[in-house]
Amino acid sequence: MPIRQILTAPDPRLREISKPVKKVDDELRALMDDMLETMYDAPGIGLAAIQVGVPLRVIVMDLSDSDDKPEPRYFVNPEILDPSEDMSVYEEGCLSVPDYFESVDRPSQCRVKYLDYDGNEQILVAQGLLATCIQHEMDHLEGVLFIDHISRLKRDRILKKLKKEQRFKKVMDEDAPTDGLLQ
Ligand code: ZN
């Protein structure tokens, strides 16, 4: 299962709206396997397909403690149903906005309708971290990042720093030796 490259902000692809999946087949399951592997490797607790450059409505997640048995979750074409009026606040981070964490308010509970790994329809009642995480990942499907929920001033500052870091990284990569010795 190959590990895929995770896009980081301000990559414009992260602003795309993802398309519904037509069929849960082996090709899609291969994508979900890759996404899960990529997420564990990062490491992170959730990943949307657009974060690896695939604009499809697919999310993988695992909220188990690192010492426990893995509990992978797969959501295809997820929809949020009846989000609660009461909100909870979590310090959120994102593999596409590396090294930045900000508090975000979201409904503390919701139901999620989705297709699972085998293409069967499921409904899940989500609360706590699971509710926050699924809503964070759902945002990715609409081209929204968690930093869109914070003040514009803070967001612009983060994006500016990320852009600068990427430019620096690109220069370093170009300067790296290209002979076979390092392979
Ligand atoms: Zn994210």
Side-chain angles (χ1 to χ4, degrees), residues 1 4 23-36 58 60 74 76 116-120:
M1 286 185 275
R4 307 211 183 185
K23 197 171 161 223
V24 181
D25 54 13
D26 286 345
E27 201 184 326
L28 191 82
R29 276 185 281 272
L31 169 69
M32 292 196 277
D33 292 344
D34 283 2
M35 285 170 61
L36 196 74
V58 178
V60 297
Y74 309 87
V76 178
D116 63 16
Y117 193 79
D118 299 310
N120 299 316

mmCIF file with all atom_site columns, all heavy atoms in Angstrom, residues 1 4 23-36 58 60 74 76 116-120:
data_model
loop_
_atom_site.group_PDB
_atom_site.id
_atom_site.type_symbol
_atom_site.label_atom_id
_atom_site.label_alt_id
_atom_site.label_comp_id
_atom_site.label_asym_id
_atom_site.label_entity_id
_atom_site.label_seq_id
_atom_site.pdbx_PDB_ins_code
_atom_site.Cartn_x
_atom_site.Cartn_y
_atom_site.Cartn_z
_atom_site.occupancy
_atom_site.B_iso_or_equiv
_atom_site.pdbx_formal_charge
_atom_site.auth_seq_id
_atom_site.auth_comp_id
_atom_site.auth_asym_id
_atom_site.auth_atom_id
_atom_site.pdbx_PDB_model_num
ATOM 1   N N   . MET A 1 1   ? 0.844   -1.202 0.000   1.00 0.00 ? 1   MET A N   1
ATOM 2   C CA  . MET A 1 1   ? 0.000   0.000  0.000   1.00 0.00 ? 1   MET A CA  1
ATOM 3   C C   . MET A 1 1   ? 0.874   1.244  0.000   1.00 0.00 ? 1   MET A C   1
ATOM 4   O O   . MET A 1 1   ? 1.538   1.512  0.998   1.00 0.00 ? 1   MET A O   1
ATOM 5   C CB  . MET A 1 1   ? -0.891  0.006  1.241   1.00 0.00 ? 1   MET A CB  1
ATOM 6   C CG  . MET A 1 1   ? -2.025  -0.999 1.166   1.00 0.00 ? 1   MET A CG  1
ATOM 7   S SD  . MET A 1 1   ? -3.109  -0.846 2.579   1.00 0.00 ? 1   MET A SD  1
ATOM 8   C CE  . MET A 1 1   ? -2.209  -1.876 3.748   1.00 0.00 ? 1   MET A CE  1
ATOM 9   N N   . ARG A 1 4   ? 0.869   8.124  0.136   1.00 0.00 ? 4   ARG A N   1
ATOM 10  C CA  . ARG A 1 4   ? 0.710   9.224  -0.824  1.00 0.00 ? 4   ARG A CA  1
ATOM 11  C C   . ARG A 1 4   ? 1.167   10.540 -0.212  1.00 0.00 ? 4   ARG A C   1
ATOM 12  O O   . ARG A 1 4   ? 1.239   10.685 0.996   1.00 0.00 ? 4   ARG A O   1
ATOM 13  C CB  . ARG A 1 4   ? -0.753  9.325  -1.235  1.00 0.00 ? 4   ARG A CB  1
ATOM 14  C CG  . ARG A 1 4   ? -1.294  7.991  -1.741  1.00 0.00 ? 4   ARG A CG  1
ATOM 15  C CD  . ARG A 1 4   ? -2.344  8.213  -2.765  1.00 0.00 ? 4   ARG A CD  1
ATOM 16  N NE  . ARG A 1 4   ? -2.923  6.949  -3.195  1.00 0.00 ? 4   ARG A NE  1
ATOM 17  C CZ  . ARG A 1 4   ? -3.802  6.848  -4.168  1.00 0.00 ? 4   ARG A CZ  1
ATOM 18  N NH1 . ARG A 1 4   ? -4.213  7.934  -4.813  1.00 0.00 ? 4   ARG A NH1 1
ATOM 19  N NH2 . ARG A 1 4   ? -4.307  5.680  -4.511  1.00 0.00 ? 4   ARG A NH2 1
ATOM 20  N N   . LYS A 1 23  ? -19.506 4.434  -7.038  1.00 0.00 ? 23  LYS A N   1
ATOM 21  C CA  . LYS A 1 23  ? -19.569 3.025  -6.664  1.00 0.00 ? 23  LYS A CA  1
ATOM 22  C C   . LYS A 1 23  ? -18.412 2.683  -5.730  1.00 0.00 ? 23  LYS A C   1
ATOM 23  O O   . LYS A 1 23  ? -17.278 3.103  -5.971  1.00 0.00 ? 23  LYS A O   1
ATOM 24  C CB  . LYS A 1 23  ? -19.453 2.192  -7.949  1.00 0.00 ? 23  LYS A CB  1
ATOM 25  C CG  . LYS A 1 23  ? -19.898 0.785  -7.807  1.00 0.00 ? 23  LYS A CG  1
ATOM 26  C CD  . LYS A 1 23  ? -19.956 0.096  -9.161  1.00 0.00 ? 23  LYS A CD  1
ATOM 27  C CE  . LYS A 1 23  ? -19.947 -1.394 -8.941  1.00 0.00 ? 23  LYS A CE  1
ATOM 28  N NZ  . LYS A 1 23  ? -19.090 -2.112 -9.853  1.00 0.00 ? 23  LYS A NZ  1
ATOM 29  N N   . VAL A 1 24  ? -18.719 1.953  -4.660  1.00 0.00 ? 24  VAL A N   1
ATOM 30  C CA  . VAL A 1 24  ? -17.648 1.495  -3.771  1.00 0.00 ? 24  VAL A CA  1
ATOM 31  C C   . VAL A 1 24  ? -17.117 0.171  -4.339  1.00 0.00 ? 24  VAL A C   1
ATOM 32  O O   . VAL A 1 24  ? -17.725 -0.884 -4.184  1.00 0.00 ? 24  VAL A O   1
ATOM 33  C CB  . VAL A 1 24  ? -18.176 1.295  -2.333  1.00 0.00 ? 24  VAL A CB  1
ATOM 34  C CG1 . VAL A 1 24  ? -17.043 0.833  -1.422  1.00 0.00 ? 24  VAL A CG1 1
ATOM 35  C CG2 . VAL A 1 24  ? -18.787 2.588  -1.799  1.00 0.00 ? 24  VAL A CG2 1
ATOM 36  N N   . ASP A 1 25  ? -15.998 0.257  -5.044  1.00 0.00 ? 25  ASP A N   1
ATOM 37  C CA  . ASP A 1 25  ? -15.429 -0.934 -5.671  1.00 0.00 ? 25  ASP A CA  1
ATOM 38  C C   . ASP A 1 25  ? -13.979 -1.134 -5.206  1.00 0.00 ? 25  ASP A C   1
ATOM 39  O O   . ASP A 1 25  ? -13.495 -0.405 -4.331  1.00 0.00 ? 25  ASP A O   1
ATOM 40  C CB  . ASP A 1 25  ? -15.507 -0.826 -7.204  1.00 0.00 ? 25  ASP A CB  1
ATOM 41  C CG  . ASP A 1 25  ? -14.862 0.461  -7.727  1.00 0.00 ? 25  ASP A CG  1
ATOM 42  O OD1 . ASP A 1 25  ? -14.152 1.139  -6.942  1.00 0.00 ? 25  ASP A OD1 1
ATOM 43  O OD2 . ASP A 1 25  ? -15.053 0.785  -8.908  1.00 0.00 ? 25  ASP A OD2 1
ATOM 44  N N   . ASP A 1 26  ? -13.298 -2.108 -5.796  1.00 0.00 ? 26  ASP A N   1
ATOM 45  C CA  . ASP A 1 26  ? -11.930 -2.413 -5.357  1.00 0.00 ? 26  ASP A CA  1
ATOM 46  C C   . ASP A 1 26  ? -10.983 -1.238 -5.550  1.00 0.00 ? 26  ASP A C   1
ATOM 47  O O   . ASP A 1 26  ? -10.065 -1.022 -4.756  1.00 0.00 ? 26  ASP A O   1
ATOM 48  C CB  . ASP A 1 26  ? -11.387 -3.640 -6.110  1.00 0.00 ? 26  ASP A CB  1
ATOM 49  C CG  . ASP A 1 26  ? -12.034 -4.928 -5.608  1.00 0.00 ? 26  ASP A CG  1
ATOM 50  O OD1 . ASP A 1 26  ? -12.651 -4.879 -4.517  1.00 0.00 ? 26  ASP A OD1 1
ATOM 51  O OD2 . ASP A 1 26  ? -11.919 -5.957 -6.297  1.00 0.00 ? 26  ASP A OD2 1
ATOM 52  N N   . GLU A 1 27  ? -11.226 -0.472 -6.625  1.00 0.00 ? 27  GLU A N   1
ATOM 53  C CA  . GLU A 1 27  ? -10.372 0.691  -6.884  1.00 0.00 ? 27  GLU A CA  1
ATOM 54  C C   . GLU A 1 27  ? -10.512 1.711  -5.748  1.00 0.00 ? 27  GLU A C   1
ATOM 55  O O   . GLU A 1 27  ? -9.529  2.276  -5.274  1.00 0.00 ? 27  GLU A O   1
ATOM 56  C CB  . GLU A 1 27  ? -10.803 1.321  -8.216  1.00 0.00 ? 27  GLU A CB  1
ATOM 57  C CG  . GLU A 1 27  ? -9.733  2.176  -8.857  1.00 0.00 ? 27  GLU A CG  1
ATOM 58  C CD  . GLU A 1 27  ? -10.245 2.855  -10.120 1.00 0.00 ? 27  GLU A CD  1
ATOM 59  O OE1 . GLU A 1 27  ? -11.083 2.240  -10.833 1.00 0.00 ? 27  GLU A OE1 1
ATOM 60  O OE2 . GLU A 1 27  ? -9.847  3.987  -10.366 1.00 0.00 ? 27  GLU A OE2 1
ATOM 61  N N   . LEU A 1 28  ? -11.759 1.918  -5.321  1.00 0.00 ? 28  LEU A N   1
ATOM 62  C CA  . LEU A 1 28  ? -11.991 2.865  -4.227  1.00 0.00 ? 28  LEU A CA  1
ATOM 63  C C   . LEU A 1 28  ? -11.409 2.324  -2.914  1.00 0.00 ? 28  LEU A C   1
ATOM 64  O O   . LEU A 1 28  ? -10.826 3.078  -2.135  1.00 0.00 ? 28  LEU A O   1
ATOM 65  C CB  . LEU A 1 28  ? -13.485 3.160  -4.059  1.00 0.00 ? 28  LEU A CB  1
ATOM 66  C CG  . LEU A 1 28  ? -13.734 4.338  -3.114  1.00 0.00 ? 28  LEU A CG  1
ATOM 67  C CD1 . LEU A 1 28  ? -13.570 5.662  -3.851  1.00 0.00 ? 28  LEU A CD1 1
ATOM 68  C CD2 . LEU A 1 28  ? -15.089 4.277  -2.470  1.00 0.00 ? 28  LEU A CD2 1
ATOM 69  N N   . ARG A 1 29  ? -11.566 1.017  -2.705  1.00 0.00 ? 29  ARG A N   1
ATOM 70  C CA  . ARG A 1 29  ? -11.003 0.429  -1.476  1.00 0.00 ? 29  ARG A CA  1
ATOM 71  C C   . ARG A 1 29  ? -9.478  0.559  -1.461  1.00 0.00 ? 29  ARG A C   1
ATOM 72  O O   . ARG A 1 29  ? -8.881  0.800  -0.415  1.00 0.00 ? 29  ARG A O   1
ATOM 73  C CB  . ARG A 1 29  ? -11.426 -1.035 -1.341  1.00 0.00 ? 29  ARG A CB  1
ATOM 74  C CG  . ARG A 1 29  ? -12.815 -1.181 -0.707  1.00 0.00 ? 29  ARG A CG  1
ATOM 75  C CD  . ARG A 1 29  ? -13.185 -2.634 -0.451  1.00 0.00 ? 29  ARG A CD  1
ATOM 76  N NE  . ARG A 1 29  ? -13.624 -3.282 -1.667  1.00 0.00 ? 29  ARG A NE  1
ATOM 77  C CZ  . ARG A 1 29  ? -14.900 -3.267 -2.096  1.00 0.00 ? 29  ARG A CZ  1
ATOM 78  N NH1 . ARG A 1 29  ? -15.840 -2.659 -1.389  1.00 0.00 ? 29  ARG A NH1 1
ATOM 79  N NH2 . ARG A 1 29  ? -15.231 -3.864 -3.226  1.00 0.00 ? 29  ARG A NH2 1
ATOM 80  N N   . ALA A 1 30  ? -8.839  0.453  -2.635  1.00 0.00 ? 30  ALA A N   1
ATOM 81  C CA  . ALA A 1 30  ? -7.380  0.627  -2.717  1.00 0.00 ? 30  ALA A CA  1
ATOM 82  C C   . ALA A 1 30  ? -7.006  2.063  -2.325  1.00 0.00 ? 30  ALA A C   1
ATOM 83  O O   . ALA A 1 30  ? -6.028  2.289  -1.609  1.00 0.00 ? 30  ALA A O   1
ATOM 84  C CB  . ALA A 1 30  ? -6.893  0.313  -4.130  1.00 0.00 ? 30  ALA A CB  1
ATOM 85  N N   . LEU A 1 31  ? -7.826  3.025  -2.777  1.00 0.00 ? 31  LEU A N   1
ATOM 86  C CA  . LEU A 1 31  ? -7.595  4.422  -2.392  1.00 0.00 ? 31  LEU A CA  1
ATOM 87  C C   . LEU A 1 31  ? -7.735  4.578  -0.872  1.00 0.00 ? 31  LEU A C   1
ATOM 88  O O   . LEU A 1 31  ? -6.887  5.208  -0.225  1.00 0.00 ? 31  LEU A O   1
ATOM 89  C CB  . LEU A 1 31  ? -8.595  5.341  -3.107  1.00 0.00 ? 31  LEU A CB  1
ATOM 90  C CG  . LEU A 1 31  ? -8.651  6.789  -2.597  1.00 0.00 ? 31  LEU A CG  1
ATOM 91  C CD1 . LEU A 1 31  ? -7.363  7.548  -2.937  1.00 0.00 ? 31  LEU A CD1 1
ATOM 92  C CD2 . LEU A 1 31  ? -9.851  7.538  -3.151  1.00 0.00 ? 31  LEU A CD2 1
ATOM 93  N N   . MET A 1 32  ? -8.784  3.964  -0.296  1.00 0.00 ? 32  MET A N   1
ATOM 94  C CA  . MET A 1 32  ? -9.007  4.086  1.153   1.00 0.00 ? 32  MET A CA  1
ATOM 95  C C   . MET A 1 32  ? -7.868  3.433  1.930   1.00 0.00 ? 32  MET A C   1
ATOM 96  O O   . MET A 1 32  ? -7.444  3.950  2.965   1.00 0.00 ? 32  MET A O   1
ATOM 97  C CB  . MET A 1 32  ? -10.366 3.483  1.532   1.00 0.00 ? 32  MET A CB  1
ATOM 98  C CG  . MET A 1 32  ? -11.540 4.284  0.990   1.00 0.00 ? 32  MET A CG  1
ATOM 99  S SD  . MET A 1 32  ? -13.131 3.889  1.763   1.00 0.00 ? 32  MET A SD  1
ATOM 100 C CE  . MET A 1 32  ? -13.628 2.438  0.845   1.00 0.00 ? 32  MET A CE  1
ATOM 101 N N   . ASP A 1 33  ? -7.358  2.288  1.427   1.00 0.00 ? 33  ASP A N   1
ATOM 102 C CA  . ASP A 1 33  ? -6.214  1.633  2.079   1.00 0.00 ? 33  ASP A CA  1
ATOM 103 C C   . ASP A 1 33  ? -4.992  2.553  2.061   1.00 0.00 ? 33  ASP A C   1
ATOM 104 O O   . ASP A 1 33  ? -4.301  2.710  3.068   1.00 0.00 ? 33  ASP A O   1
ATOM 105 C CB  . ASP A 1 33  ? -5.868  0.313  1.368   1.00 0.00 ? 33  ASP A CB  1
ATOM 106 C CG  . ASP A 1 33  ? -6.956  -0.742 1.547   1.00 0.00 ? 33  ASP A CG  1
ATOM 107 O OD1 . ASP A 1 33  ? -7.807  -0.580 2.437   1.00 0.00 ? 33  ASP A OD1 1
ATOM 108 O OD2 . ASP A 1 33  ? -6.944  -1.725 0.774   1.00 0.00 ? 33  ASP A OD2 1
ATOM 109 N N   . ASP A 1 34  ? -4.734  3.161  0.920   1.00 0.00 ? 34  ASP A N   1
ATOM 110 C CA  . ASP A 1 34  ? -3.597  4.097  0.794   1.00 0.00 ? 34  ASP A CA  1
ATOM 111 C C   . ASP A 1 34  ? -3.766  5.282  1.737   1.00 0.00 ? 34  ASP A C   1
ATOM 112 O O   . ASP A 1 34  ? -2.821  5.733  2.381   1.00 0.00 ? 34  ASP A O   1
ATOM 113 C CB  . ASP A 1 34  ? -3.502  4.668  -0.633  1.00 0.00 ? 34  ASP A CB  1
ATOM 114 C CG  . ASP A 1 34  ? -2.906  3.663  -1.610  1.00 0.00 ? 34  ASP A CG  1
ATOM 115 O OD1 . ASP A 1 34  ? -2.616  2.534  -1.189  1.00 0.00 ? 34  ASP A OD1 1
ATOM 116 O OD2 . ASP A 1 34  ? -2.746  4.028  -2.791  1.00 0.00 ? 34  ASP A OD2 1
ATOM 117 N N   . MET A 1 35  ? -4.995  5.802  1.781   1.00 0.00 ? 35  MET A N   1
ATOM 118 C CA  . MET A 1 35  ? -5.257  6.969  2.641   1.00 0.00 ? 35  MET A CA  1
ATOM 119 C C   . MET A 1 35  ? -5.005  6.634  4.103   1.00 0.00 ? 35  MET A C   1
ATOM 120 O O   . MET A 1 35  ? -4.391  7.416  4.836   1.00 0.00 ? 35  MET A O   1
ATOM 121 C CB  . MET A 1 35  ? -6.704  7.453  2.461   1.00 0.00 ? 35  MET A CB  1
ATOM 122 C CG  . MET A 1 35  ? -6.955  8.214  1.166   1.00 0.00 ? 35  MET A CG  1
ATOM 123 S SD  . MET A 1 35  ? -8.730  8.491  0.881   1.00 0.00 ? 35  MET A SD  1
ATOM 124 C CE  . MET A 1 35  ? -9.193  9.469  2.323   1.00 0.00 ? 35  MET A CE  1
ATOM 125 N N   . LEU A 1 36  ? -5.468  5.449  4.519   1.00 0.00 ? 36  LEU A N   1
ATOM 126 C CA  . LEU A 1 36  ? -5.294  5.055  5.917   1.00 0.00 ? 36  LEU A CA  1
ATOM 127 C C   . LEU A 1 36  ? -3.800  4.925  6.253   1.00 0.00 ? 36  LEU A C   1
ATOM 128 O O   . LEU A 1 36  ? -3.329  5.416  7.278   1.00 0.00 ? 36  LEU A O   1
ATOM 129 C CB  . LEU A 1 36  ? -6.019  3.727  6.175   1.00 0.00 ? 36  LEU A CB  1
ATOM 130 C CG  . LEU A 1 36  ? -6.236  3.408  7.650   1.00 0.00 ? 36  LEU A CG  1
ATOM 131 C CD1 . LEU A 1 36  ? -7.345  4.269  8.250   1.00 0.00 ? 36  LEU A CD1 1
ATOM 132 C CD2 . LEU A 1 36  ? -6.556  1.939  7.840   1.00 0.00 ? 36  LEU A CD2 1
ATOM 133 N N   . VAL A 1 58  ? -14.578 11.007 0.220   1.00 0.00 ? 58  VAL A N   1
ATOM 134 C CA  . VAL A 1 58  ? -14.085 9.859  0.986   1.00 0.00 ? 58  VAL A CA  1
ATOM 135 C C   . VAL A 1 58  ? -13.238 10.363 2.154   1.00 0.00 ? 58  VAL A C   1
ATOM 136 O O   . VAL A 1 58  ? -12.415 11.263 1.983   1.00 0.00 ? 58  VAL A O   1
ATOM 137 C CB  . VAL A 1 58  ? -13.206 8.940  0.096   1.00 0.00 ? 58  VAL A CB  1
ATOM 138 C CG1 . VAL A 1 58  ? -12.661 7.778  0.906   1.00 0.00 ? 58  VAL A CG1 1
ATOM 139 C CG2 . VAL A 1 58  ? -13.978 8.428  -1.100  1.00 0.00 ? 58  VAL A CG2 1
ATOM 140 N N   . VAL A 1 60  ? -11.099 8.862  5.796   1.00 0.00 ? 60  VAL A N   1
ATOM 141 C CA  . VAL A 1 60  ? -10.690 7.786  6.699   1.00 0.00 ? 60  VAL A CA  1
ATOM 142 C C   . VAL A 1 60  ? -10.338 8.399  8.042   1.00 0.00 ? 60  VAL A C   1
ATOM 143 O O   . VAL A 1 60  ? -9.989  9.583  8.129   1.00 0.00 ? 60  VAL A O   1
ATOM 144 C CB  . VAL A 1 60  ? -9.474  6.973  6.161   1.00 0.00 ? 60  VAL A CB  1
ATOM 145 C CG1 . VAL A 1 60  ? -9.834  6.271  4.864   1.00 0.00 ? 60  VAL A CG1 1
ATOM 146 C CG2 . VAL A 1 60  ? -8.241  7.848  5.983   1.00 0.00 ? 60  VAL A CG2 1
ATOM 147 N N   . TYR A 1 74  ? -14.104 4.232  7.827   1.00 0.00 ? 74  TYR A N   1
ATOM 148 C CA  . TYR A 1 74  ? -14.150 4.695  6.444   1.00 0.00 ? 74  TYR A CA  1
ATOM 149 C C   . TYR A 1 74  ? -15.512 5.318  6.192   1.00 0.00 ? 74  TYR A C   1
ATOM 150 O O   . TYR A 1 74  ? -16.532 4.716  6.527   1.00 0.00 ? 74  TYR A O   1
ATOM 151 C CB  . TYR A 1 74  ? -13.966 3.526  5.468   1.00 0.00 ? 74  TYR A CB  1
ATOM 152 C CG  . TYR A 1 74  ? -12.766 2.655  5.762   1.00 0.00 ? 74  TYR A CG  1
ATOM 153 C CD1 . TYR A 1 74  ? -12.860 1.584  6.647   1.00 0.00 ? 74  TYR A CD1 1
ATOM 154 C CD2 . TYR A 1 74  ? -11.535 2.907  5.151   1.00 0.00 ? 74  TYR A CD2 1
ATOM 155 C CE1 . TYR A 1 74  ? -11.761 0.775  6.911   1.00 0.00 ? 74  TYR A CE1 1
ATOM 156 C CE2 . TYR A 1 74  ? -10.434 2.101  5.413   1.00 0.00 ? 74  TYR A CE2 1
ATOM 157 C CZ  . TYR A 1 74  ? -10.555 1.044  6.291   1.00 0.00 ? 74  TYR A CZ  1
ATOM 158 O OH  . TYR A 1 74  ? -9.465  0.246  6.556   1.00 0.00 ? 74  TYR A OH  1
ATOM 159 N N   . VAL A 1 76  ? -17.773 6.993  3.077   1.00 0.00 ? 76  VAL A N   1
ATOM 160 C CA  . VAL A 1 76  ? -17.928 7.336  1.662   1.00 0.00 ? 76  VAL A CA  1
ATOM 161 C C   . VAL A 1 76  ? -19.229 8.125  1.519   1.00 0.00 ? 76  VAL A C   1
ATOM 162 O O   . VAL A 1 76  ? -20.261 7.731  2.090   1.00 0.00 ? 76  VAL A O   1
ATOM 163 C CB  . VAL A 1 76  ? -17.976 6.059  0.796   1.00 0.00 ? 76  VAL A CB  1
ATOM 164 C CG1 . VAL A 1 76  ? -18.178 6.413  -0.676  1.00 0.00 ? 76  VAL A CG1 1
ATOM 165 C CG2 . VAL A 1 76  ? -16.703 5.241  0.975   1.00 0.00 ? 76  VAL A CG2 1
ATOM 166 N N   . ASP A 1 116 ? -20.110 2.472  4.016   1.00 0.00 ? 116 ASP A N   1
ATOM 167 C CA  . ASP A 1 116 ? -18.892 1.964  4.650   1.00 0.00 ? 116 ASP A CA  1
ATOM 168 C C   . ASP A 1 116 ? -17.941 1.341  3.604   1.00 0.00 ? 116 ASP A C   1
ATOM 169 O O   . ASP A 1 116 ? -18.175 1.444  2.400   1.00 0.00 ? 116 ASP A O   1
ATOM 170 C CB  . ASP A 1 116 ? -19.238 0.970  5.780   1.00 0.00 ? 116 ASP A CB  1
ATOM 171 C CG  . ASP A 1 116 ? -19.953 -0.277 5.274   1.00 0.00 ? 116 ASP A CG  1
ATOM 172 O OD1 . ASP A 1 116 ? -19.918 -0.542 4.042   1.00 0.00 ? 116 ASP A OD1 1
ATOM 173 O OD2 . ASP A 1 116 ? -20.542 -0.991 6.108   1.00 0.00 ? 116 ASP A OD2 1
ATOM 174 N N   . TYR A 1 117 ? -16.889 0.684  4.094   1.00 0.00 ? 117 TYR A N   1
ATOM 175 C CA  . TYR A 1 117 ? -15.841 0.098  3.246   1.00 0.00 ? 117 TYR A CA  1
ATOM 176 C C   . TYR A 1 117 ? -16.423 -0.876 2.206   1.00 0.00 ? 117 TYR A C   1
ATOM 177 O O   . TYR A 1 117 ? -15.874 -1.044 1.128   1.00 0.00 ? 117 TYR A O   1
ATOM 178 C CB  . TYR A 1 117 ? -14.857 -0.639 4.163   1.00 0.00 ? 117 TYR A CB  1
ATOM 179 C CG  . TYR A 1 117 ? -13.546 -1.054 3.536   1.00 0.00 ? 117 TYR A CG  1
ATOM 180 C CD1 . TYR A 1 117 ? -12.517 -0.135 3.345   1.00 0.00 ? 117 TYR A CD1 1
ATOM 181 C CD2 . TYR A 1 117 ? -13.319 -2.378 3.171   1.00 0.00 ? 117 TYR A CD2 1
ATOM 182 C CE1 . TYR A 1 117 ? -11.304 -0.525 2.790   1.00 0.00 ? 117 TYR A CE1 1
ATOM 183 C CE2 . TYR A 1 117 ? -12.108 -2.779 2.617   1.00 0.00 ? 117 TYR A CE2 1
ATOM 184 C CZ  . TYR A 1 117 ? -11.099 -1.840 2.439   1.00 0.00 ? 117 TYR A CZ  1
ATOM 185 O OH  . TYR A 1 117 ? -9.906  -2.236 1.894   1.00 0.00 ? 117 TYR A OH  1
ATOM 186 N N   . ASP A 1 118 ? -17.549 -1.511 2.572   1.00 0.00 ? 118 ASP A N   1
ATOM 187 C CA  . ASP A 1 118 ? -18.169 -2.477 1.657   1.00 0.00 ? 118 ASP A CA  1
ATOM 188 C C   . ASP A 1 118 ? -19.303 -1.866 0.846   1.00 0.00 ? 118 ASP A C   1
ATOM 189 O O   . ASP A 1 118 ? -19.985 -2.578 0.098   1.00 0.00 ? 118 ASP A O   1
ATOM 190 C CB  . ASP A 1 118 ? -18.700 -3.675 2.462   1.00 0.00 ? 118 ASP A CB  1
ATOM 191 C CG  . ASP A 1 118 ? -17.574 -4.387 3.194   1.00 0.00 ? 118 ASP A CG  1
ATOM 192 O OD1 . ASP A 1 118 ? -16.563 -4.696 2.544   1.00 0.00 ? 118 ASP A OD1 1
ATOM 193 O OD2 . ASP A 1 118 ? -17.682 -4.583 4.419   1.00 0.00 ? 118 ASP A OD2 1
ATOM 194 N N   . GLY A 1 119 ? -19.547 -0.570 1.021   1.00 0.00 ? 119 GLY A N   1
ATOM 195 C CA  . GLY A 1 119 ? -20.601 0.092  0.245   1.00 0.00 ? 119 GLY A CA  1
ATOM 196 C C   . GLY A 1 119 ? -21.974 0.003  0.878   1.00 0.00 ? 119 GLY A C   1
ATOM 197 O O   . GLY A 1 119 ? -22.978 0.333  0.250   1.00 0.00 ? 119 GLY A O   1
ATOM 198 N N   . ASN A 1 120 ? -22.041 -0.463 2.145   1.00 0.00 ? 120 ASN A N   1
ATOM 199 C CA  . ASN A 1 120 ? -23.328 -0.534 2.843   1.00 0.00 ? 120 ASN A CA  1
ATOM 200 C C   . ASN A 1 120 ? -23.637 0.778  3.540   1.00 0.00 ? 120 ASN A C   1
ATOM 201 O O   . ASN A 1 120 ? -22.749 1.407  4.111   1.00 0.00 ? 120 ASN A O   1
ATOM 202 C CB  . ASN A 1 120 ? -23.308 -1.656 3.893   1.00 0.00 ? 120 ASN A CB  1
ATOM 203 C CG  . ASN A 1 120 ? -23.078 -3.016 3.256   1.00 0.00 ? 120 ASN A CG  1
ATOM 204 O OD1 . ASN A 1 120 ? -23.679 -3.332 2.222   1.00 0.00 ? 120 ASN A OD1 1
ATOM 205 N ND2 . ASN A 1 120 ? -22.185 -3.802 3.832   1.00 0.00 ? 120 ASN A ND2 1
#
